[in-house]
Amino acid sequence: MISTDVILDTANILMEKAAIDIPDDYLTGLKKAADEEEGDLSSFVLQAMLENYEAAKEDRRAMCGDTGTPRWYVKFGNEAQVTGGPIALEETLRRATADSTKRIPLRPNRVHPLWRTDHNNNIGIGAPEIEYGFEPEGSWIDITTVHKGGLFGTDYRMLFPGDGIEGIKRFYLDSLVAFGRRGLACQPAIIGIGLGGSKDTSMVLGKRAACLRIVGDRNPDPEIAKLEDEFKEIGNSIGMGAMGFVGKSMVIDCHIEVGCCHTGGMPMSVHAFCLSSRRASARLHADGSVEFRTDPQWFTPYQRRETVEWPLNNQNSQKSA
Amino acid sequence: MAPKQSKLTKVRLSTSPSPEDLRALKIGDIVYLDGTVYTGREGVYKKILEDGADMPVPLPALSGANFHCSPAAIREEDGRFKVSAVTATASFRFSKWLERWFKASGAKLIIGKGGMTGKDYKEVFVPNGAIYLTTVGYGTGALLGRGVKRVHSANWLEELGIAQAMWVLEVENFGPFIVDSDLDGNSLFERENAKIAAGLAKAYEGTRPATLKRYGETDDRNDEVI
Ligand code: SF4
């Protein structure tokens, strides 16, 4: 049984880690981009960002004044149990969001869309989002927080099978060029592309591809992995760098996630996880121990399964039979 | 990795700059500010320009620098303020208020994210002797937070909320910012856009437009979304 006390402490630590400590994978990617960048304005921006991450760490202050929209991803091992059940878990995550907003402090970003009511704690109707996943084995839960920023840099479009890879590339470039100008997307970014699913799942896949996979990670489908490499390359050859200045640092990495879609369509979404690629994860075990990490490890073989039954499960039950 | 030598010019500037100070600045210069800045965005513009509220602090005597921003800050129980990070918000949305704002506030520096259009610079900034400074990144919130020495006041904090309140901040070596527009209304972002546009056709080689079009769609890649 995992207690809500442990969840509250862990979630508060995760909020702080996400807001202040840039994940190592993104930092390494940005340092490489800074080394390779030749545009003088673009170079200056990247250098300033590297200093900014240091300042945030040293002072324990938020790396960016814009909190983005903090959200939670919770994954349950199949045998995991939480004191008070899912309702207690959700209340705990909302409490940690509110408490951390005051403690760090973070800018309260969430307001009612029409009345602009601000509870000054990043809590409200549907906020923060809490999303769930499950894994076949384990009595742990994984908690990840993502503070994704950016009113810009994300787009959705219904493409069709006939649009092909050329159409996908066009929409990808359109999104980068439209939102890269003046640096509206706060690039260089981790670009996530969601292909397939329904309209809404295509958006969800793209966002998760951007926020829940680390720099350097590749899709297990070798052909998709090749596209990821190619798209990263294309994005960095537009001639645009940080803040839309002349340069070649747009994309720190590109991740593509797919889901099966309507036979007549090919919905596509593009998401940019900005210069403040804020995420932090932890695994909470049944014995009360907690391990922190920066890789959400969301996309497992189980999350990408194609079959009715989970084959590994079947093998296990056959073995034990 | 040794930091690269930057050829860019770095300048310390007062938040109440003289016309000569501003005249000396070129687009692409790096600026650090000393003095006092205040935040003002849709909430403040509406309150003063549309609802006719009085200026809560004397402008431009106190400050000539309007920052499009909301800080990550809080008033502690003892009444003191804690400022964490400070990051700008995109300025193009505030275009419709600026002409009246210049008249009401005497601002000489508009600071924000992403600049405004060249048209705004020529028609509104130039006649008012003002320039635009863009924040950097745009995620340099921690560096800017370090430059805030004291919160002078937080006006309409209860009424407008933390994000929309008018924060008056005393700053030192506050930056970096990049000069986007000069006193002649030239725009750094538009200059860079034009340079990049020349190579865009090559990047688009081998792609094709979507079968299903959208309303208002253009294929002119010189177009901007703002
Ligand atoms: S997009 Fe990211 S870096 Fe830019 S202001 Fe928002 S949170 Fe900060």
Side-chain angles (χ1 to χ4, degrees), chain A residues 137-148:
Chain A
E137 275 161 31
S139 48
W140 45 262
I141 61 170
D142 273 358
I143 301 182
T144 294
T145 186
V146 169
H147 302 181
K148 187 179 175 308

Side-chain angles (χ1 to χ4, degrees), chain B residues 40-89:
Chain B
R41 47 188 300 179
E42 57 269 55
V44 168
Y45 292 152
K46 273 194 193 136
K47 187 121 188 86
I48 293 176
L49 300 175
E50 292 174 16
D51 306 346
D54 289 335
M55 282 286 178
V57 291
L59 298 181
L62 182 63
S63 166
N66 174 192
F67 197 178
H68 292 153
C69 141
S70 333
I74 192 157
R75 180 156 53 194
E76 315 245 39
E77 266 149 33
D78 60 6
R80 286 199 308 194
F81 293 99
K82 184 172 170 198
V83 176
S84 167
V86 178
T87 299
T89 195

